[in-house]
Amino acid sequence: MSAPGTGRRLGALQVAGLLVSASYGIGFLFGSGEMAVGQGMAGSLYGLATAAGMALLALLAPRLWAGGEPIWDLFGRRYGALLSDAVALLSVVWMAGVLAAQIHGGVVVMKLLGLPAWSAFALVLAAIYAASRLALHTASRVLPLFLVAGGLILVWTLVADGGAQVYVQAPVRLVADAAPLGPVALGALVLGVAALVVTGADYHQFVLAAARPRTAVLGCLGAALFLALLGPLPAAVVVALSEAGQLAGIDDAKQVIPQALAAATARLLPGLDRLMLLVLSFAALGSGAAILRAMTSALGAATARRFEVGPGPLALVALGAGSLLALRDQGIVQTMVSINLVYIGSVSVLFAATLLGRAAAPRRALLSVTLGFAASFAAYLAAWRWQAGPAGELWVLGAGLLASGLAWRIDLPACFSPRARLRRGAGAPPRRCAP
């Protein structure tokens, strides 16, 4: 049976294409290459974790499709405006990590073009802010083409440098190269990426636009398959270049993919390398502007009922959050994963309970999200301060889930209300504090 309304018309291939385009970007390319410099084919874990998230999303797709609205809109309708605002603010948290990845990418390319580090950072921030204030409808259509072109050049580089065998051997090499990371680091990375795919409203929108539930499922599975094939590509290129001795002149691991793309285009036609770098910088800045607009919109939605703040100042606040994350001494993938875990630790309990039909009072739902965020963010700051590494990232997730889960199970406002204390003091049976 076809979906009601006019907004549900996408076929399975369209759903798959949109899901892939939402996942494949500068963070995917540059971050996977950066990881591969030190960890070999384990650099493909980001792409493969994204593919795993798409497969999990396929399991939830029929329920999401039947609901007819993104899960966060359902939160607002079921639990009230306060929780809707809280979730909008929390969405800014994970988007700040994505923005930081675009900032990293832009700075890397600008440095390859010859700018000093701090000048490159300032220029990238200014360019992203300026671009976010413009209506870049045409650019939003062109950017995916640049990334597809970059992917095709990566394939050509892999084949031209004799690295096809590396790609064919990717599963075996991945097992060997991922083993030194240990289960904690692997768990943090996979959870931080896959769970965001499952809980991310930006992915839900494509599931909801499918013509039928079966179409949504097939679209998610198609995206999972494509990303599983695409995920090892940047890492395979880096491993092939490393084994050929062509990475000796790279000082910053974040530069390896843009430098490889520039070198490949220069071999096609001398002088094209700088054009390729400009194209990559435009892709990074355009993607950064798009995510900054989304962050500004979320901040505006969350604050509209209480403050009147223009989009310009809100964009500066959002850009400041992304800048702070970009300044932290982390890799591109780790930057995104660590802040994803704050978001996931805050909302996962409410997300799962709502999908399972276990609704609670609005105040308990709001308290669950609030305490989950407070615990996750406190653990994040502690891990940042003491450089806790992957173990700290799992503490971020665990602290949020524990606090959020306890708040969901125990009606703390009821337990500690003056009336409850009075009843207990008078010898009456205590008011039940759990559902």
Side-chain angles (χ1 to χ4, degrees):
M1 182 177 67
S2 183
T6 59
R8 295 185 164 188
R9 298 177 296 195
L10 298 183
L13 287 178
Q14 292 171 301
V15 173
L18 289 168
L19 287 170
V20 170
S21 68
S23 308
Y24 172 67
I26 292 295
F28 186 112
L29 275 176
F30 290 14
S32 297
E34 179 191 16
M35 281 187 66
V37 171
Q39 296 161 357
M41 285 307 300
S44 62
L45 285 171
Y46 179 82
L48 295 177
T50 306
M54 293 295 174
L56 291 174
L57 186 61
L59 296 177
L60 299 177
R63 188 181 292 269
L64 288 171
W65 191 93
E69 58 185 345
I71 193 68
W72 311 128
D73 290 345
L74 175 61
F75 284 175
R77 180 168 56 81
R78 182 168 295 183
Y79 302 115
L82 276 177
L83 185 63
S84 178
D85 292 347
V87 171
L89 286 174
L90 283 172
S91 68
V92 176
V93 172
W94 72 261
M95 284 192 284
V98 180
L99 177 59
Q102 312 311 312
I103 294 171
H104 276 308
V107 170
V108 163
V109 176
M110 292 299 176
K111 287 167 66 177
L112 286 174
L113 287 170
L115 271 68
W118 283 104
S119 298
F121 191 82
L123 178 60
V124 167
L125 293 185
I128 288 177
Y129 179 80
S132 72
R133 300 296 87 214
L134 303 175
L136 298 179
H137 300 298
T138 302
S140 67
R141 298 187 184 98
V142 173
L143 290 177
L145 298 179
F146 290 152
L147 292 171
V148 168
L152 293 175
I153 293 174
L154 273 181
V155 172
W156 179 81
T157 303
L158 187 69
V159 174
D161 290 332
Q165 189 66 22
V166 175
Y167 182 85
V168 172
Q169 297 171 348
V172 176
R173 287 176 175 248
L174 173 61
V175 172
D177 292 343
L181 295 178
V184 173
L186 286 173
L189 193 155
V190 173
L191 284 173
V193 177
L196 184 65
V197 174
V198 173
T199 58
D202 52 333
Y203 296 105
H204 295 174
Q205 63 180 323
F206 306 129
V207 172
L208 296 175
R212 297 174 178 83
R214 182 172 178 271
T215 304
V217 172
L218 291 175
C220 293
L221 292 176
L225 176 61
F226 190 83
L227 287 168
L229 295 173
L230 183 65
L233 179 59
V237 170
V238 172
V239 170
L241 292 175
S242 177
E243 293 179 352
Q246 298 183 31
L247 299 184
I250 296 179
D251 299 324
D252 184 354
K254 294 182 179 69
Q255 296 178 346
V256 64
I257 289 297
Q259 195 157 319
L261 290 172
T265 51
R267 278 190 283 173
L268 290 173
L269 183 64
L272 274 185
D273 52 338
R274 296 188 71 81
L275 177 61
M276 186 68 204
L277 290 175
L278 288 172
V279 166
L280 289 173
S281 68
F282 181 71
L285 296 175
S287 298
I291 196 68
L292 184 58
R293 283 195 295 272
M295 293 172 72
T296 303
S297 177
L299 284 173
T303 59
R305 280 183 276 270
R306 295 164 187 83
F307 310 102
E308 287 191 13
V309 184
L314 290 177
L316 287 175
V317 171
L319 187 62
S323 302
L324 287 175
L325 292 177
L327 286 172
R328 186 179 176 186
D329 187 19
Q330 282 186 304
I332 292 175
V333 170
Q334 192 181 8
T335 297
M336 294 188 289
V337 168
S338 60
I339 202 67
N340 284 358
L341 291 173
V342 175
Y343 175 76
I344 294 163
S346 305
V347 304
S348 291
V349 169
L350 183 63
F351 178 86
T354 303
L355 282 184
L356 293 172
R358 298 287 302 276
R363 67 178 180 182
R364 191 181 303 185
L366 179 61
L367 188 65
S368 174
V369 170
T370 303
L371 291 185
F373 171 73
S376 281
F377 192 63
Y380 176 83
L381 293 177
W384 186 345
R385 170 65 178 80
W386 285 287
Q387 299 293 313
E393 292 175 353
L394 283 189
W395 275 108
V396 170
L397 179 62
L401 292 177
L402 179 62
S404 182
L406 287 175
W408 182 262
R409 290 293 303 167
I410 301 173
D411 191 355
L412 295 177
C415 291
F416 295 103
S417 68
R419 181 177 298 179
R421 290 197 298 269
L422 180 62
R423 286 169 56 84
R424 288 194 293 270
R431 180 175 179 177
R432 192 173 71 167
C433 299

PDB file of all heavy atoms in Angstrom, residues 336-356:
ATOM      1  N   MET A 336      34.393  13.613  16.002  1.00  0.00           N
ATOM      2  CA  MET A 336      32.969  13.364  15.782  1.00  0.00           C
ATOM      3  C   MET A 336      32.426  12.303  16.728  1.00  0.00           C
ATOM      4  O   MET A 336      31.345  12.454  17.302  1.00  0.00           O
ATOM      5  CB  MET A 336      32.730  12.956  14.323  1.00  0.00           C
ATOM      6  CG  MET A 336      33.012  14.065  13.326  1.00  0.00           C
ATOM      7  SD  MET A 336      32.518  13.642  11.630  1.00  0.00           S
ATOM      8  CE  MET A 336      33.746  12.416  11.211  1.00  0.00           C
ATOM      9  N   VAL A 337      33.181  11.232  16.932  1.00  0.00           N
ATOM     10  CA  VAL A 337      32.695  10.125  17.754  1.00  0.00           C
ATOM     11  C   VAL A 337      32.529  10.560  19.202  1.00  0.00           C
ATOM     12  O   VAL A 337      31.513  10.256  19.846  1.00  0.00           O
ATOM     13  CB  VAL A 337      33.652   8.920  17.648  1.00  0.00           C
ATOM     14  CG1 VAL A 337      33.322   7.880  18.707  1.00  0.00           C
ATOM     15  CG2 VAL A 337      33.566   8.302  16.254  1.00  0.00           C
ATOM     16  N   SER A 338      33.513  11.264  19.749  1.00  0.00           N
ATOM     17  CA  SER A 338      33.471  11.602  21.175  1.00  0.00           C
ATOM     18  C   SER A 338      32.272  12.481  21.507  1.00  0.00           C
ATOM     19  O   SER A 338      31.613  12.289  22.539  1.00  0.00           O
ATOM     20  CB  SER A 338      34.775  12.284  21.598  1.00  0.00           C
ATOM     21  OG  SER A 338      34.993  13.477  20.861  1.00  0.00           O
ATOM     22  N   ILE A 339      31.958  13.440  20.644  1.00  0.00           N
ATOM     23  CA  ILE A 339      30.813  14.313  20.932  1.00  0.00           C
ATOM     24  C   ILE A 339      29.501  13.619  20.575  1.00  0.00           C
ATOM     25  O   ILE A 339      28.456  13.889  21.184  1.00  0.00           O
ATOM     26  CB  ILE A 339      30.961  15.672  20.202  1.00  0.00           C
ATOM     27  CG1 ILE A 339      30.116  16.738  20.883  1.00  0.00           C
ATOM     28  CG2 ILE A 339      30.639  15.556  18.737  1.00  0.00           C
ATOM     29  CD1 ILE A 339      30.569  17.108  22.260  1.00  0.00           C
ATOM     30  N   ASN A 340      29.531  12.693  19.599  1.00  0.00           N
ATOM     31  CA  ASN A 340      28.334  11.888  19.319  1.00  0.00           C
ATOM     32  C   ASN A 340      27.879  11.138  20.560  1.00  0.00           C
ATOM     33  O   ASN A 340      26.680  10.992  20.813  1.00  0.00           O
ATOM     34  CB  ASN A 340      28.626  10.861  18.213  1.00  0.00           C
ATOM     35  CG  ASN A 340      28.661  11.469  16.832  1.00  0.00           C
ATOM     36  OD1 ASN A 340      28.438  12.661  16.663  1.00  0.00           O
ATOM     37  ND2 ASN A 340      28.963  10.658  15.851  1.00  0.00           N
ATOM     38  N   LEU A 341      28.848  10.645  21.328  1.00  0.00           N
ATOM     39  CA  LEU A 341      28.515   9.830  22.497  1.00  0.00           C
ATOM     40  C   LEU A 341      27.794  10.646  23.567  1.00  0.00           C
ATOM     41  O   LEU A 341      26.989  10.097  24.322  1.00  0.00           O
ATOM     42  CB  LEU A 341      29.784   9.192  23.061  1.00  0.00           C
ATOM     43  CG  LEU A 341      30.415   8.112  22.175  1.00  0.00           C
ATOM     44  CD1 LEU A 341      31.762   7.673  22.734  1.00  0.00           C
ATOM     45  CD2 LEU A 341      29.495   6.913  22.027  1.00  0.00           C
ATOM     46  N   VAL A 342      28.079  11.947  23.649  1.00  0.00           N
ATOM     47  CA  VAL A 342      27.339  12.808  24.574  1.00  0.00           C
ATOM     48  C   VAL A 342      25.866  12.837  24.173  1.00  0.00           C
ATOM     49  O   VAL A 342      24.965  12.676  25.010  1.00  0.00           O
ATOM     50  CB  VAL A 342      27.921  14.232  24.584  1.00  0.00           C
ATOM     51  CG1 VAL A 342      27.068  15.168  25.446  1.00  0.00           C
ATOM     52  CG2 VAL A 342      29.353  14.225  25.098  1.00  0.00           C
ATOM     53  N   TYR A 343      25.618  13.032  22.906  1.00  0.00           N
ATOM     54  CA  TYR A 343      24.254  13.082  22.382  1.00  0.00           C
ATOM     55  C   TYR A 343      23.544  11.739  22.570  1.00  0.00           C
ATOM     56  O   TYR A 343      22.401  11.680  23.043  1.00  0.00           O
ATOM     57  CB  TYR A 343      24.318  13.462  20.913  1.00  0.00           C
ATOM     58  CG  TYR A 343      23.005  13.439  20.175  1.00  0.00           C
ATOM     59  CD1 TYR A 343      22.081  14.451  20.351  1.00  0.00           C
ATOM     60  CD2 TYR A 343      22.715  12.412  19.289  1.00  0.00           C
ATOM     61  CE1 TYR A 343      20.878  14.440  19.661  1.00  0.00           C
ATOM     62  CE2 TYR A 343      21.523  12.399  18.586  1.00  0.00           C
ATOM     63  CZ  TYR A 343      20.609  13.408  18.781  1.00  0.00           C
ATOM     64  OH  TYR A 343      19.427  13.383  18.093  1.00  0.00           O
ATOM     65  N   ILE A 344      24.230  10.652  22.222  1.00  0.00           N
ATOM     66  CA  ILE A 344      23.626   9.330  22.315  1.00  0.00           C
ATOM     67  C   ILE A 344      23.320   8.973  23.767  1.00  0.00           C
ATOM     68  O   ILE A 344      22.261   8.430  24.087  1.00  0.00           O
ATOM     69  CB  ILE A 344      24.551   8.283  21.673  1.00  0.00           C
ATOM     70  CG1 ILE A 344      24.653   8.539  20.161  1.00  0.00           C
ATOM     71  CG2 ILE A 344      24.050   6.868  21.924  1.00  0.00           C
ATOM     72  CD1 ILE A 344      25.817   7.837  19.510  1.00  0.00           C
ATOM     73  N   GLY A 345      24.248   9.288  24.672  1.00  0.00           N
ATOM     74  CA  GLY A 345      24.007   9.025  26.076  1.00  0.00           C
ATOM     75  C   GLY A 345      22.843   9.807  26.643  1.00  0.00           C
ATOM     76  O   GLY A 345      22.205   9.382  27.608  1.00  0.00           O
ATOM     77  N   SER A 346      22.531  10.947  26.036  1.00  0.00           N
ATOM     78  CA  SER A 346      21.445  11.799  26.523  1.00  0.00           C
ATOM     79  C   SER A 346      20.071  11.316  26.071  1.00  0.00           C
ATOM     80  O   SER A 346      19.104  11.402  26.833  1.00  0.00           O
ATOM     81  CB  SER A 346      21.652  13.240  26.040  1.00  0.00           C
ATOM     82  OG  SER A 346      22.916  13.734  26.407  1.00  0.00           O
ATOM     83  N   VAL A 347      19.965  10.828  24.846  1.00  0.00           N
ATOM     84  CA  VAL A 347      18.638  10.611  24.262  1.00  0.00           C
ATOM     85  C   VAL A 347      18.270   9.152  24.027  1.00  0.00           C
ATOM     86  O   VAL A 347      17.108   8.852  23.743  1.00  0.00           O
ATOM     87  CB  VAL A 347      18.504  11.371  22.918  1.00  0.00           C
ATOM     88  CG1 VAL A 347      18.790  12.854  23.101  1.00  0.00           C
ATOM     89  CG2 VAL A 347      19.428  10.776  21.856  1.00  0.00           C
ATOM     90  N   SER A 348      19.228   8.227  24.133  1.00  0.00           N
ATOM     91  CA  SER A 348      18.949   6.851  23.716  1.00  0.00           C
ATOM     92  C   SER A 348      17.867   6.186  24.546  1.00  0.00           C
ATOM     93  O   SER A 348      17.047   5.422  24.021  1.00  0.00           O
ATOM     94  CB  SER A 348      20.233   6.016  23.773  1.00  0.00           C
ATOM     95  OG  SER A 348      21.139   6.427  22.778  1.00  0.00           O
ATOM     96  N   VAL A 349      17.856   6.435  25.860  1.00  0.00           N
ATOM     97  CA  VAL A 349      16.845   5.797  26.708  1.00  0.00           C
ATOM     98  C   VAL A 349      15.451   6.252  26.289  1.00  0.00           C
ATOM     99  O   VAL A 349      14.530   5.438  26.128  1.00  0.00           O
ATOM    100  CB  VAL A 349      17.110   6.121  28.193  1.00  0.00           C
ATOM    101  CG1 VAL A 349      15.930   5.688  29.068  1.00  0.00           C
ATOM    102  CG2 VAL A 349      18.391   5.441  28.652  1.00  0.00           C
ATOM    103  N   LEU A 350      15.270   7.552  26.105  1.00  0.00           N
ATOM    104  CA  LEU A 350      13.972   8.076  25.690  1.00  0.00           C
ATOM    105  C   LEU A 350      13.606   7.593  24.293  1.00  0.00           C
ATOM    106  O   LEU A 350      12.444   7.258  24.020  1.00  0.00           O
ATOM    107  CB  LEU A 350      13.992   9.605  25.729  1.00  0.00           C
ATOM    108  CG  LEU A 350      12.673  10.299  25.389  1.00  0.00           C
ATOM    109  CD1 LEU A 350      11.603   9.930  26.401  1.00  0.00           C
ATOM    110  CD2 LEU A 350      12.857  11.809  25.343  1.00  0.00           C
ATOM    111  N   PHE A 351      14.581   7.539  23.408  1.00  0.00           N
ATOM    112  CA  PHE A 351      14.355   7.060  22.044  1.00  0.00           C
ATOM    113  C   PHE A 351      13.833   5.627  22.060  1.00  0.00           C
ATOM    114  O   PHE A 351      12.806   5.302  21.444  1.00  0.00           O
ATOM    115  CB  PHE A 351      15.669   7.146  21.263  1.00  0.00           C
ATOM    116  CG  PHE A 351      15.593   6.640  19.845  1.00  0.00           C
ATOM    117  CD1 PHE A 351      15.185   7.475  18.823  1.00  0.00           C
ATOM    118  CD2 PHE A 351      15.938   5.335  19.534  1.00  0.00           C
ATOM    119  CE1 PHE A 351      15.117   7.015  17.511  1.00  0.00           C
ATOM    120  CE2 PHE A 351      15.877   4.865  18.232  1.00  0.00           C
ATOM    121  CZ  PHE A 351      15.467   5.715  17.219  1.00  0.00           C
ATOM    122  N   ALA A 352      14.525   4.742  22.798  1.00  0.00           N
ATOM    123  CA  ALA A 352      14.125   3.340  22.841  1.00  0.00           C
ATOM    124  C   ALA A 352      12.763   3.177  23.512  1.00  0.00           C
ATOM    125  O   ALA A 352      11.903   2.426  23.033  1.00  0.00           O
ATOM    126  CB  ALA A 352      15.186   2.529  23.582  1.00  0.00           C
ATOM    127  N   ALA A 353      12.545   3.884  24.608  1.00  0.00           N
ATOM    128  CA  ALA A 353      11.280   3.756  25.324  1.00  0.00           C
ATOM    129  C   ALA A 353      10.101   4.214  24.466  1.00  0.00           C
ATOM    130  O   ALA A 353       9.039   3.593  24.464  1.00  0.00           O
ATOM    131  CB  ALA A 353      11.341   4.561  26.622  1.00  0.00           C
ATOM    132  N   THR A 354      10.293   5.287  23.725  1.00  0.00           N
ATOM    133  CA  THR A 354       9.215   5.808  22.888  1.00  0.00           C
ATOM    134  C   THR A 354       8.895   4.848  21.754  1.00  0.00           C
ATOM    135  O   THR A 354       7.721   4.587  21.451  1.00  0.00           O
ATOM    136  CB  THR A 354       9.585   7.191  22.339  1.00  0.00           C
ATOM    137  OG1 THR A 354       9.876   8.067  23.429  1.00  0.00           O
ATOM    138  CG2 THR A 354       8.456   7.780  21.522  1.00  0.00           C
ATOM    139  N   LEU A 355       9.934   4.301  21.106  1.00  0.00           N
ATOM    140  CA  LEU A 355       9.697   3.339  20.032  1.00  0.00           C
ATOM    141  C   LEU A 355       9.000   2.086  20.548  1.00  0.00           C
ATOM    142  O   LEU A 355       8.205   1.463  19.828  1.00  0.00           O
ATOM    143  CB  LEU A 355      11.021   2.956  19.370  1.00  0.00           C
ATOM    144  CG  LEU A 355      11.619   3.949  18.377  1.00  0.00           C
ATOM    145  CD1 LEU A 355      12.874   3.360  17.763  1.00  0.00           C
ATOM    146  CD2 LEU A 355      10.631   4.324  17.286  1.00  0.00           C
ATOM    147  N   LEU A 356       9.273   1.718  21.777  1.00  0.00           N
ATOM    148  CA  LEU A 356       8.659   0.515  22.362  1.00  0.00           C
ATOM    149  C   LEU A 356       7.294   0.794  22.986  1.00  0.00           C
ATOM    150  O   LEU A 356       6.671  -0.107  23.554  1.00  0.00           O
ATOM    151  CB  LEU A 356       9.587  -0.081  23.423  1.00  0.00           C
ATOM    152  CG  LEU A 356      10.915  -0.656  22.900  1.00  0.00           C
ATOM    153  CD1 LEU A 356      11.821  -1.042  24.058  1.00  0.00           C
ATOM    154  CD2 LEU A 356      10.666  -1.849  21.983  1.00  0.00           C
TER     155      LEU A 356
END
